[in-house]
mmCIF file of all heavy atoms in Angstrom:
data_model
loop_
_atom_site.group_PDB
_atom_site.id
_atom_site.type_symbol
_atom_site.label_atom_id
_atom_site.label_comp_id
_atom_site.label_asym_id
_atom_site.label_seq_id
_atom_site.Cartn_x
_atom_site.Cartn_y
_atom_site.Cartn_z
ATOM 1 N N LYS A 1345 -5.529 2.276 8.931
ATOM 2 C CA LYS A 1345 -4.461 3.307 8.908
ATOM 3 C C LYS A 1345 -4.810 4.631 9.546
ATOM 4 O O LYS A 1345 -5.826 5.185 9.090
ATOM 5 C CB LYS A 1345 -4.053 3.526 7.392
ATOM 6 C CG LYS A 1345 -2.777 4.253 7.280
ATOM 7 C CD LYS A 1345 -3.026 5.543 6.570
ATOM 8 C CE LYS A 1345 -1.841 6.539 6.673
ATOM 9 N NZ LYS A 1345 -2.116 7.806 5.983
ATOM 10 N N SER A 1348 -1.238 10.919 10.014
ATOM 11 C CA SER A 1348 -0.616 11.897 10.928
ATOM 12 C C SER A 1348 -1.646 13.058 11.338
ATOM 13 O O SER A 1348 -1.766 13.429 12.375
ATOM 14 C CB SER A 1348 0.615 12.563 10.349
ATOM 15 O OG SER A 1348 1.580 11.673 9.944
ATOM 16 N N SER A 1391 0.170 3.251 11.823
ATOM 17 C CA SER A 1391 -0.056 4.587 12.288
ATOM 18 C C SER A 1391 1.147 5.427 11.821
ATOM 19 O O SER A 1391 2.304 5.116 11.948
ATOM 20 C CB SER A 1391 -0.022 4.599 13.862
ATOM 21 O OG SER A 1391 -0.149 5.944 14.228
ATOM 22 N N SER A 1392 0.821 6.539 11.242
ATOM 23 C CA SER A 1392 1.813 7.482 10.898
ATOM 24 C C SER A 1392 1.930 8.494 12.141
ATOM 25 O O SER A 1392 1.259 8.179 13.150
ATOM 26 C CB SER A 1392 1.296 8.495 9.750
ATOM 27 O OG SER A 1392 1.040 7.668 8.723
ATOM 28 N N GLY A 1393 2.627 9.362 11.996
ATOM 29 C CA GLY A 1393 2.720 10.412 13.113
ATOM 30 C C GLY A 1393 4.071 10.518 13.767
ATOM 31 O O GLY A 1393 4.327 11.477 14.628
ATOM 32 N N ALA A 1394 4.965 9.777 13.313
ATOM 33 C CA ALA A 1394 6.343 9.654 14.140
ATOM 34 C C ALA A 1394 7.100 10.993 13.777
ATOM 35 O O ALA A 1394 7.576 11.626 14.818
ATOM 36 C CB ALA A 1394 7.132 8.500 13.696
ATOM 37 N N VAL A 1395 7.043 11.269 12.421
ATOM 38 C CA VAL A 1395 7.849 12.397 12.044
ATOM 39 C C VAL A 1395 7.169 13.603 12.631
ATOM 40 O O VAL A 1395 7.859 14.605 13.262
ATOM 41 C CB VAL A 1395 7.957 12.463 10.490
ATOM 42 C CG1 VAL A 1395 8.685 13.909 10.179
ATOM 43 C CG2 VAL A 1395 8.706 11.303 10.081
ATOM 44 N N MET A 1396 5.898 13.661 12.606
ATOM 45 C CA MET A 1396 5.121 14.887 13.123
ATOM 46 C C MET A 1396 5.343 15.033 14.726
ATOM 47 O O MET A 1396 5.682 16.217 15.083
ATOM 48 C CB MET A 1396 3.574 14.546 12.810
ATOM 49 C CG MET A 1396 2.573 15.459 13.441
ATOM 50 S SD MET A 1396 2.077 14.957 15.128
ATOM 51 C CE MET A 1396 1.096 13.494 14.822
ATOM 52 N N GLN A 1422 8.760 8.395 16.977
ATOM 53 C CA GLN A 1422 8.272 6.917 17.056
ATOM 54 C C GLN A 1422 8.154 6.477 18.412
ATOM 55 O O GLN A 1422 7.077 5.834 18.735
ATOM 56 C CB GLN A 1422 9.301 6.092 16.197
ATOM 57 C CG GLN A 1422 8.688 4.583 16.246
ATOM 58 C CD GLN A 1422 7.306 4.424 15.475
ATOM 59 O OE1 GLN A 1422 6.997 5.085 14.544
ATOM 60 N NE2 GLN A 1422 6.606 3.351 15.820
ATOM 61 N N ASN A 1476 4.603 0.941 11.341
ATOM 62 C CA ASN A 1476 5.002 2.111 10.830
ATOM 63 C C ASN A 1476 6.111 1.845 9.840
ATOM 64 O O ASN A 1476 6.842 0.735 9.927
ATOM 65 C CB ASN A 1476 5.330 3.177 11.706
ATOM 66 C CG ASN A 1476 5.309 4.543 11.251
ATOM 67 O OD1 ASN A 1476 5.155 4.815 9.943
ATOM 68 N ND2 ASN A 1476 5.584 5.698 11.942
ATOM 69 N N GLU A 1477 6.534 2.801 8.988
ATOM 70 C CA GLU A 1477 7.828 2.544 8.315
ATOM 71 C C GLU A 1477 8.913 2.881 9.234
ATOM 72 O O GLU A 1477 8.834 3.681 10.167
ATOM 73 C CB GLU A 1477 7.826 3.404 7.017
ATOM 74 C CG GLU A 1477 9.024 3.145 6.299
ATOM 75 C CD GLU A 1477 9.047 3.674 4.741
ATOM 76 O OE1 GLU A 1477 8.061 4.465 4.545
ATOM 77 O OE2 GLU A 1477 9.909 3.337 4.112
ATOM 78 N N ASP A 1479 11.330 4.740 9.587
ATOM 79 C CA ASP A 1479 11.775 5.972 9.032
ATOM 80 C C ASP A 1479 13.131 6.473 9.525
ATOM 81 O O ASP A 1479 13.883 7.158 8.805
ATOM 82 C CB ASP A 1479 10.955 7.189 9.404
ATOM 83 C CG ASP A 1479 9.498 6.847 8.665
ATOM 84 O OD1 ASP A 1479 9.466 6.654 7.515
ATOM 85 O OD2 ASP A 1479 8.433 7.044 9.524
ATOM 86 N N GLY A 1489 7.815 5.347 1.719
ATOM 87 C CA GLY A 1489 7.514 6.713 1.487
ATOM 88 C C GLY A 1489 6.206 7.280 2.033
ATOM 89 O O GLY A 1489 6.170 8.445 2.535
ATOM 90 N N ASP A 1490 5.159 6.492 2.136
ATOM 91 C CA ASP A 1490 3.941 6.922 2.653
ATOM 92 C C ASP A 1490 3.219 5.720 3.162
ATOM 93 O O ASP A 1490 3.405 4.625 2.751
ATOM 94 C CB ASP A 1490 3.094 7.628 1.553
ATOM 95 C CG ASP A 1490 2.431 6.634 0.422
ATOM 96 O OD1 ASP A 1490 1.470 6.122 0.775
ATOM 97 O OD2 ASP A 1490 3.286 6.297 -0.445
ATOM 98 N N ASN A 1491 2.474 6.108 4.298
ATOM 99 C CA ASN A 1491 1.885 4.990 5.020
ATOM 100 C C ASN A 1491 0.533 4.477 4.396
ATOM 101 O O ASN A 1491 0.033 3.451 4.793
ATOM 102 C CB ASN A 1491 1.639 5.395 6.447
ATOM 103 C CG ASN A 1491 2.798 5.193 7.300
ATOM 104 O OD1 ASN A 1491 3.899 4.877 6.840
ATOM 105 N ND2 ASN A 1491 2.671 5.401 8.614
ATOM 106 N N ASP A 1492 0.035 5.186 3.258
ATOM 107 C CA ASP A 1492 -1.114 4.667 2.570
ATOM 108 C C ASP A 1492 -0.687 3.379 1.848
ATOM 109 O O ASP A 1492 -1.196 2.336 1.988
ATOM 110 C CB ASP A 1492 -1.492 5.577 1.588
ATOM 111 C CG ASP A 1492 -2.128 6.798 2.249
ATOM 112 O OD1 ASP A 1492 -2.748 6.804 3.112
ATOM 113 O OD2 ASP A 1492 -1.899 8.042 1.732
ATOM 114 N N VAL A 1556 1.751 18.239 6.892
ATOM 115 C CA VAL A 1556 1.602 17.172 7.818
ATOM 116 C C VAL A 1556 1.516 15.667 7.146
ATOM 117 O O VAL A 1556 2.115 14.805 7.627
ATOM 118 C CB VAL A 1556 0.201 17.389 8.594
ATOM 119 C CG1 VAL A 1556 0.163 16.326 9.715
ATOM 120 C CG2 VAL A 1556 0.179 18.804 9.176
ATOM 121 N N THR A 1557 0.596 15.656 6.185
ATOM 122 C CA THR A 1557 0.464 14.347 5.504
ATOM 123 C C THR A 1557 1.419 14.205 4.460
ATOM 124 O O THR A 1557 1.774 15.157 3.594
ATOM 125 C CB THR A 1557 -0.917 14.300 4.961
ATOM 126 O OG1 THR A 1557 -1.292 15.239 4.127
ATOM 127 C CG2 THR A 1557 -1.934 14.291 6.203
ATOM 128 N N VAL A 1558 1.824 12.898 4.144
ATOM 129 C CA VAL A 1558 2.741 12.693 3.160
ATOM 130 C C VAL A 1558 2.098 12.453 1.652
ATOM 131 O O VAL A 1558 2.426 13.198 0.759
ATOM 132 C CB VAL A 1558 3.731 11.550 3.366
ATOM 133 C CG1 VAL A 1558 4.563 11.287 2.288
ATOM 134 C CG2 VAL A 1558 4.360 11.734 4.637
ATOM 135 N N GLY A 1559 1.018 11.703 1.723
ATOM 136 C CA GLY A 1559 0.419 11.234 0.427
ATOM 137 C C GLY A 1559 -0.651 12.100 0.007
ATOM 138 O O GLY A 1559 -0.684 12.279 -1.282
HETATM 139 N N1 LIG B 1484 5.876 7.091 8.461
HETATM 140 C C1 LIG B 1484 5.799 8.557 8.670
HETATM 141 C C2 LIG B 1484 5.533 8.860 9.986
HETATM 142 O O1 LIG B 1484 5.340 8.081 10.893
HETATM 143 C C3 LIG B 1484 4.494 8.975 7.890
HETATM 144 C C4 LIG B 1484 4.186 8.585 6.447
HETATM 145 C C5 LIG B 1484 2.814 9.023 6.055
HETATM 146 O O2 LIG B 1484 2.202 9.875 6.736
HETATM 147 O O3 LIG B 1484 2.344 8.539 5.098
HETATM 148 O O4 LIG B 1484 5.710 10.065 10.422
#
Side-chain angles (χ1 to χ4, degrees):
K1345 186 248 168 174
S1348 299
S1391 179
S1392 304
V1395 175
M1396 170 273 289
Q1422 181 63 28
N1476 197 359
E1477 183 162 12
D1479 292 314
D1490 69 89
N1491 276 4
D1492 296 322
V1556 185
T1557 56
V1558 177

